[in-house]
Amino acid sequence: MFLCSFTSSVFAKDRGTLIFEDDFERNESQEIKDEIGKGWGSNSRWRAAGNKQVDLKNGAMYIFMHKDADHAVSVTHAAEFQDGAIELRFMLEDAKDSLGLNFADLKYKKVHAGHLFLAKVSTRNVELTDMKTGGMDLKNRELRKAKTVPPALQELLKAKRKRFPNQLKTGQWYTLLVDVTGDTLTVSIDGKKVGSFSSEGIAHPTKRTLRLSVPRNAVVDDVKIYSRVANGK
């Protein structure tokens, strides 16, 4: 659950109650290891031999994959809601960069590492994926690892992902809104809807953790997490 006080909560139309926000306007005490603060964590200790992969500077969070890392950078924060939204500003500095918003529930043991669904933004497209009933389902994942996925499952897994063409410029700030309503995931950039995808895994009753997944580099600022009662009631 969130540690922040609800006395300062605000209500934003179509988003819900603001339960967490961070503008990253703070300094670190050292420059060797991740020191994000305000409840954020990362996988740098066990995936990058403890090397720094998150840097707070210029009032923003710079995420970069260390050369010794064996996995994409994962920057995490509690985000407990059923329906809700994530709003943030982001910048991709290279054409090959991307930013994923990975929603997870580590208490749900039928999927690998709690993976539920993902909204991934690159300079060329937005990709929405149901991982809970797709590739991260433990049975499906074992078949994929063994390379014994039957044709019917191959078709099912294809149906668990949808891609929307969307061109972004490098070195430019954008505002991203990822909305979760029932079984539907919707992404808007700078107030313009890019795409929606409906799949049963998105309706998982409790999203507990937000993971910012970065396989190369990304810059993030002004993160806001909203929660609302399912069906808007």
Side-chain angles (χ1 to χ4, degrees):
M1 295 296 290
F2 287 96
L3 301 179
C4 56
S5 171
F6 277 80
T7 59
S8 60
S9 296
V10 298
F11 185 83
K13 185 179 179 181
D14 299 329
R15 287 168 174 72
T17 301
L18 178 65
I19 55 176
F20 175 78
E21 62 179 328
D22 195 351
D23 60 9
F24 303 101
E25 293 287 347
R26 55 185 176 273
N27 297 317
E28 299 160 287
S29 66
Q30 46 77 43
E31 291 294 331
I32 300 173
K33 297 182 179 181
D34 294 352
E35 190 180 295
I36 313 169
K38 207 165 182 178
W40 292 97
S42 79
N43 65 348
S44 297
R45 182 172 58 83
W46 61 92
R47 286 297 197 176
N51 289 294
K52 190 175 185 65
Q53 297 190 111
V54 184
D55 193 14
L56 302 185
K57 60 181 182 180
N58 305 322
M61 178 167 61
Y62 287 72
I63 307 169
F64 51 94
M65 189 171 173
H66 191 272
K67 62 181 179 63
D68 293 334
D70 64 357
H71 190 280
V73 188
S74 180
V75 182
T76 62
H77 203 286
E80 189 162 332
F81 60 84
Q82 180 171 359
D83 284 2
I86 309 293
E87 184 178 18
L88 56 81
R89 295 172 64 238
F90 75 100
M91 176 169 60
L92 303 176
E93 298 181 292
D94 186 275
K96 295 181 180 179
D97 289 345
S98 64
L99 171 67
L101 273 65
N102 183 318
F103 296 79
D105 180 1
L106 288 169
K107 294 184 179 181
Y108 186 70
K109 302 302 183 181
K110 295 183 179 181
V111 297
H112 174 66
H115 292 294
L116 299 175
F117 53 92
L118 171 71
K120 180 182 178 181
V121 181
S122 72
T123 57
R124 293 176 294 179
N125 56 60
V126 168
E127 191 172 278
L128 307 180
T129 307
D130 174 1
M131 297 184 291
K132 177 184 175 181
T133 61
M136 288 300 172
D137 171 271
L138 290 180
K139 294 180 180 178
N140 294 344
R141 187 169 182 268
E142 286 303 312
L143 290 172
R144 289 171 59 233
K145 288 174 65 178
K147 297 182 179 180
T148 57
V149 180
L153 180 56
Q154 291 178 23
E155 291 303 311
L156 173 68
L157 294 178
K158 288 179 182 178
K160 295 298 179 179
R161 176 179 299 163
K162 193 166 185 179
R163 183 176 291 171
F164 303 87
N166 185 71
Q167 296 291 320
L168 298 180
K169 296 179 180 179
T170 58
Q172 180 172 317
W173 284 100
Y174 294 92
T175 298
L176 173 68
L177 179 66
V178 177
D179 180 89
V180 183
T181 302
D183 68 352
T184 301
L185 184 63
T186 303
V187 169
S188 301
I189 297 178
D190 283 352
K192 180 181 179 181
K193 180 180 174 180
V194 177
S196 288
F197 177 55
S198 297
S199 186
E200 58 186 307
I202 298 166
H204 183 81
T206 309
K207 295 78 179 173
R208 300 184 192 275
T209 301
L210 169 68
R211 294 173 173 140
L212 301 180
S213 178
V214 178
R216 284 173 54 87
N217 308 280
V219 189
V220 172
D221 199 3
D222 298 327
V223 175
K224 297 180 175 68
I225 302 176
Y226 298 90
S227 175
R228 62 178 178 272
V229 178
N231 301 318
K233 297 180 181 179

